[in-house]
């Protein structure tokens, strides 16, 4: 009887004693879920305490690792690297809307969460256009920024205060031209 072999079975390579085994393709470690949990916690808090603003706040799913072709397809659809995590296109008396980039809390002894150049650029672009754009580290800072934006503490000003003056100046000029 003749044994027909259609493929050659691969025998596993022997690993030398004490050597590290390299992971096979597709078995990379999952990234930390801290930022995703932070976003979930904020939206849960917002829904419970401010349902009106919860309906207007949007999370932009711009984080995570993707396949190369999926990344290209999303970029063609308009997804930009560095776009802030939260967007609220609801104006207050000083700004046209709110953009928040959420980062994990800074913990002593651990490396500081990195803010990429794209994220800094996108936040500054929002500020130039008259929006409130902030980078927040931890849930407490996100909540504080949100509360300041909606006006719960009128004595405090956000870090984007220079754009407040710009907006008031533009608004004041338009009032003067109308004769009011």
């Amino acid at each position: 009887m003749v044994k027909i072999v259609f493929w050659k079975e691969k025998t596993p390579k022997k690993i030398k004693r004490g050597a590290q085994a390299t992971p096979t393709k597709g078995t990379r470690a999952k990234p930390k879920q801290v930022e995703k949990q932070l976003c979930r916690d904020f939206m849960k808090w917002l829904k419970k305490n401010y349902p009106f603003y919860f309906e207007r706040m949007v999370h932009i799913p711009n984080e995570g690792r993707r396949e190369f072709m999926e990344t290209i397809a999303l970029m063609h659809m308009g997804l930009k690297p560095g776009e802030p995590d939260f967007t609220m296109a609801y104006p207050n008396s000083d700004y046209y809307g709110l953009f928040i980039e959420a980062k994990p809390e800074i913990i002593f002894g651990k490396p500081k969460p990195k803010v990429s150049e794209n994220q800094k650029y996108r936040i500054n672009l929002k500020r130039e256009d008259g929006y409130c754009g902030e980078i927040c580290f931890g849930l407490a800072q996100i909540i504080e920024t949100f509360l300041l934006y909606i006006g719960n503490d009128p004595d405090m000003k956000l870090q984007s205060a220079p754009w407040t003056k710009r907006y008031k100046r533009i608004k004041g000029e338009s009032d003067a031209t109308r004769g009011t």
Side-chain angles (χ1 to χ4, degrees), residues 76-139:
H76 284 294
M77 288 190 280
L79 187 66
K80 301 208 176 9
E83 194 63 29
D85 292 318
F86 293 109
T87 300
M88 187 169 70
Y90 187 79
N92 68 4
S93 60
D94 298 329
Y95 304 102
Y96 301 125
L98 175 66
F99 290 88
I100 298 175
E101 175 60 38
K103 291 290 177 189
E105 192 173 359
I106 300 173
I107 300 172
F108 182 75
K110 292 190 176 184
K112 183 179 178 182
K114 292 184 180 178
V115 180
S116 71
E117 292 301 318
N118 284 335
Q119 290 169 334
K120 291 176 188 175
Y121 171 74
R122 302 299 294 173
I123 287 290
N124 286 330
L125 196 64
K126 306 297 184 201
R127 289 177 180 172
E128 288 175 6
D129 292 339
Y131 293 91
C132 176
E134 300 294 329
I135 298 173
C136 299
F137 294 92
L139 184 60

Side-chain angles (χ1 to χ4, degrees), residues 5-175:
V5 179
F6 292 104
W7 68 89
K8 185 178 178 181
E9 293 181 13
K10 293 183 179 179
T11 57
K13 294 180 181 179
K14 292 183 180 177
I15 300 174
K16 294 179 184 178
R17 184 175 230 160
Q20 292 280 337
T22 56
T24 58
K25 187 176 181 181
T27 59
R28 84 172 98 124
K30 290 184 180 180
K32 292 185 179 180
Q33 302 292 321
V34 178
E35 192 171 317
K36 289 181 182 180
Q37 185 61 44
L38 180 66
C39 293
R40 280 189 224 117
D41 290 345
F42 174 64
M43 291 304 283
K44 185 177 178 181
W45 176 87
L46 193 63
K47 184 176 185 178
K48 180 182 176 185
N49 296 301
Y50 294 93
F52 176 80
Y53 293 107
F54 173 77
E55 291 297 322
R56 286 148 181 82
M57 184 71 73
V58 177
H59 171 69
I60 299 173
N62 203 12
E63 68 274 330
R65 296 177 189 229
R66 298 182 179 91
E67 296 290 327
F68 178 73
M69 292 309 293
E70 185 181 359
T71 302
I72 297 299
L74 288 172
M75 290 176 90
H76 284 294
M77 288 190 280
L79 187 66
K80 301 208 176 9
E83 194 63 29
D85 292 318
F86 293 109
T87 300
M88 187 169 70
Y90 187 79
N92 68 4
S93 60
D94 298 329
Y95 304 102
Y96 301 125
L98 175 66
F99 290 88
I100 298 175
E101 175 60 38
K103 291 290 177 189
E105 192 173 359
I106 300 173
I107 300 172
F108 182 75
K110 292 190 176 184
K112 183 179 178 182
K114 292 184 180 178
V115 180
S116 71
E117 292 301 318
N118 284 335
Q119 290 169 334
K120 291 176 188 175
Y121 171 74
R122 302 299 294 173
I123 287 290
N124 286 330
L125 196 64
K126 306 297 184 201
R127 289 177 180 172
E128 288 175 6
D129 292 339
Y131 293 91
C132 176
E134 300 294 329
I135 298 173
C136 299
F137 294 92
L139 184 60
Q141 278 190 10
I142 295 172
I143 291 173
E144 180 184 7
T145 300
F146 171 76
L147 291 175
L148 290 173
Y149 180 80
I150 64 171
N152 278 8
D153 194 353
D155 296 331
M156 299 287 290
K157 285 291 180 185
L158 294 167
Q159 293 176 6
S160 303
W163 306 117
T164 305
K165 294 174 185 171
R166 175 179 171 252
Y167 175 71
K168 286 182 178 177
R169 181 178 49 83
I170 292 170
K171 189 175 178 183
E173 288 174 1
S174 64
D175 289 344

